[in-house]
Structure formats: C-alpha cells, structure tokens
Amino acid sequence: MVFRLKKGDRIDILAPGSFIDEEENFQKGVEILKNWGLEVNENNSLSKRFGYFAGDDLTRFRELEKAQNSKLIIFAKGGWGSARILEKEPSWRDGLMLGFSDTCSLLLSKYSQGFIGSIHGPMVASLFKEPEWSIDRLRNLLFEGYVDEIKGIPLRGGKAKGEIIVSNLTIASFLIGTNHFPNCRGKILIFEDINEDIYKIDRMLTYLRMTKTLTEIKGIGFGNFSNNSSDPEWNDLLKNCITERLKEFSFPILFNLPIGHIAGNACIPLGYEATLNGDDGILSMNIPL
C-alpha cells in the first residue's frame, strides 16, 4: 500500500523536539510545501517554548496524537526531544510521516509497531537548503509514490534485497532494547549522523555488534556523518572504522550515500523493498503494491 498526496491536501507540521530558532528558514520550507498545492497547518510551531523544547512533553505528545489522521506529518526540525514523548506510547496509524535526525525515534517507533508511512528525509527548516534533485525526489515520493536510485561508494561487494530501514545512528543505538526499535532480521540498514567523533561511531557500531543487531541483516549503507565529509582524512578514518567493525560479516556495504544532515538528503521510505548493490554502489527501491 502506498499513500500519495494530491493538491489541496491538508498536512500538519509538528515540532516534537527542539523549538524553532530559525524562523526565516522555517518559512522558506513552508512556502515550498504551499507551492506544491498543499494546505499547511503550522500548528503554532513558532510560538511554543518550554526550556529548549517546543512545548512540554505532554503538549508535544498531544499534538502528535491529534495529527495521526493527517495526510502528512512533516517535522519542523530536529534537535533533542522527540524520544521523550515515546514514553507516553503514541497511538500510531498508517500514514505519511517525514523527518530525520532526532525525529528518527518517531519514524522507527511507528515502523517497528507495524505501521507504514515513515520517511527519512528533509524537514521543514532544512527543505529550502536542498538541491533541486532532492526536492524533486521528495515531491515525487509524496505525490507519485516512487524514488529514483541513489549511488554510494562500495566498501564490500555483493547484492542484498530486503526491506529498508534508515535512521540516525545515535538515535537507533539508544532505542535498542525498547519496543520502539524494529526487528532487523532480513533488512537493509542505512545510517547517518552528524559531527560525532570517530571513537563514538566506533562505540555505537560495537554496541550494535554486541546486541546481535547486525547478525541477521542483509546489507548496510552509510550516509553523511560530518560537516567535514569532504575531508579525505576524516573519510579514511570513518571508512577504516566501518571496515574494521564489520569485517567478519558477509553482507555488502555502501559508503557516502547522499543521506543525512548535509544538503542533498535523499528521502528514503522505510519498509520499501530495496536492493543494495555493493558492486556498483547503487541503492534502489521498488514501489510496493
């Protein structure tokens, strides 16, 4: 089943974590959505503050609950706080929900509990920074239900097929052991993160190993991990860390996929059947029936 938007649909913008501190960027993102013909409910996202959150936990939880029938829930921005409202156990329903970074906690929770529609991709405050191909890709997914293939750098060859799960690595790591972390058996995992030291990435990959999360997956890919991703020394350190931590597994590995915090954040729908080709570096997805 694929959900598709059409012009005139009403969508909801929610801020489940940090408050919005870049109003101009936020409004530029809203204008893109309106130019697609969507009716945007901003949900007073700019007016709420509680410490460094966009309202207290109960307020943010209630807004998420109220929006469950929305044609699309798109998150305003990341920043810590989304996972706090999982303590109240949201009443998930099938439907489109878009975000990345810290809001991956909500995407993973919804997917792990059997509901479809989670999409890892640009949020409102970052949407205007995206290159044209990324904005077109998101519109195609939301209105037509498909996405084109993307390309990374092969680190280990082979071909894998399975449902795709995309997440921020830190957020995924901290959900392991809760009922908000999905069963990864037979899945393809894609991870992104931002400005974490190599030793912290090593720590998280080690934790994934120790929890046996990696023992039954079909393939793995890595998106952007740093604002210094063009730095050869940084890239070598990250590649060496990934290669060493995953050396005894046989699944294919892709590196440097255009996914994450750097502009060019290719949207990926969780749960789509995907093919990860470690020989040519291509990650492709099939449209579900």
Side-chain angles (χ1 to χ4, degrees):
M1 181 178 181
V2 179
F3 291 96
R4 293 184 176 91
L5 297 180
K6 62 182 184 301
K7 287 186 177 181
D9 279 344
R10 184 178 185 273
I11 67 172
D12 283 274
I13 298 174
L14 301 183
S18 299
F19 63 77
I20 299 166
D21 54 359
E22 297 179 333
E23 182 176 349
E24 184 178 355
N25 293 351
F26 175 80
Q27 293 297 350
K28 288 178 180 178
V30 171
E31 284 305 308
I32 290 174
L33 298 170
K34 289 181 177 178
N35 288 339
W36 289 350
L38 299 171
E39 181 184 336
V40 178
N41 176 21
E42 298 179 27
N43 229 324
N44 298 317
S45 298
L46 291 173
S47 63
K48 301 187 303 298
R49 291 198 182 192
F50 181 81
Y52 44 85
F53 303 122
D56 61 29
D57 291 348
L58 183 58
T59 296
R60 301 194 321 277
F61 171 76
R62 284 175 173 169
E63 289 188 345
L64 183 63
E65 292 285 277
K66 290 177 183 178
Q68 286 304 304
N69 289 323
S70 178
K71 296 289 186 179
L72 166 68
I73 297 171
I74 178 171
F75 297 125
K77 61 171 292 185
W80 170 246
S82 298
R84 287 173 58 120
I85 61 180
L86 289 180
E87 293 183 280
K88 301 183 184 300
E89 301 291 340
S91 304
W92 296 120
R93 297 181 186 177
D94 291 332
L96 297 171
M97 187 169 74
L98 171 64
F100 78 105
S101 191
D102 180 74
T103 64
C104 284
S105 57
L106 304 179
L107 301 179
L108 290 176
S109 174
K110 179 172 179 169
Y111 172 79
S112 70
Q113 295 179 39
F115 296 92
I116 62 175
S118 291
I119 302 170
H120 184 284
M123 294 180 284
V124 179
S126 62
L127 187 55
F128 85 99
K129 300 177 184 178
E130 290 295 303
E132 185 176 354
W133 68 263
S134 176
I135 293 176
D136 288 344
R137 175 187 178 88
L138 179 59
R139 190 185 187 285
N140 287 338
L141 175 59
L142 294 177
F143 285 83
E144 306 296 335
Y146 76 91
V147 288
D148 293 326
E149 64 187 28
I150 55 176
K151 190 166 187 178
I153 298 171
L155 287 190
R156 184 159 60 215
K159 185 180 289 187
K161 291 186 178 183
E163 284 189 15
I164 193 164
I165 300 173
V166 192
S167 178
N168 177 272
L169 177 59
T170 299
I171 294 301
S173 298
F174 281 100
L175 289 181
I176 292 175
T178 73
N179 64 345
H180 303 290
F181 187 77
N183 182 343
C184 294
R185 180 179 299 173
K187 305 298 196 300
I188 292 172
L189 301 185
I190 309 292
F191 290 121
E192 51 86 6
D193 218 310
I194 184 67
N195 292 339
E196 295 286 3
D197 293 329
I198 292 294
Y199 81 87
K200 293 182 180 179
I201 296 171
D202 187 311
R203 176 191 294 160
M204 289 184 279
L205 292 178
T206 299
Y207 183 57
L208 288 172
R209 288 164 53 94
M210 294 174 68
T211 60
K212 309 301 182 185
T213 301
L214 302 177
T215 58
E216 296 179 318
I217 68 171
K218 293 292 186 67
I220 194 167
F222 296 87
N224 295 316
F225 271 73
S226 172
N227 286 332
N228 298 319
S229 59
S230 59
D231 181 349
E233 183 177 359
W234 160 260
N235 273 325
D236 286 343
L237 286 171
L238 182 57
K239 282 193 288 187
N240 290 341
C241 175
I242 291 170
T243 301
E244 191 278 329
R245 288 285 73 195
L246 304 181
K247 62 185 177 182
E248 74 264 39
F249 301 103
S250 59
F251 46 68
I253 305 172
L254 293 186
F255 180 72
N256 202 34
L257 289 161
I259 298 170
H261 287 73
I262 298 175
N265 182 13
C267 60
I268 302 287
L270 277 67
Y272 271 41
E273 188 77 13
T275 299
L276 186 149
N277 193 322
D279 299 322
D280 61 16
I282 298 294
L283 176 65
S284 59
M285 274 139 286
N286 298 324
I287 300 175
L289 298 176

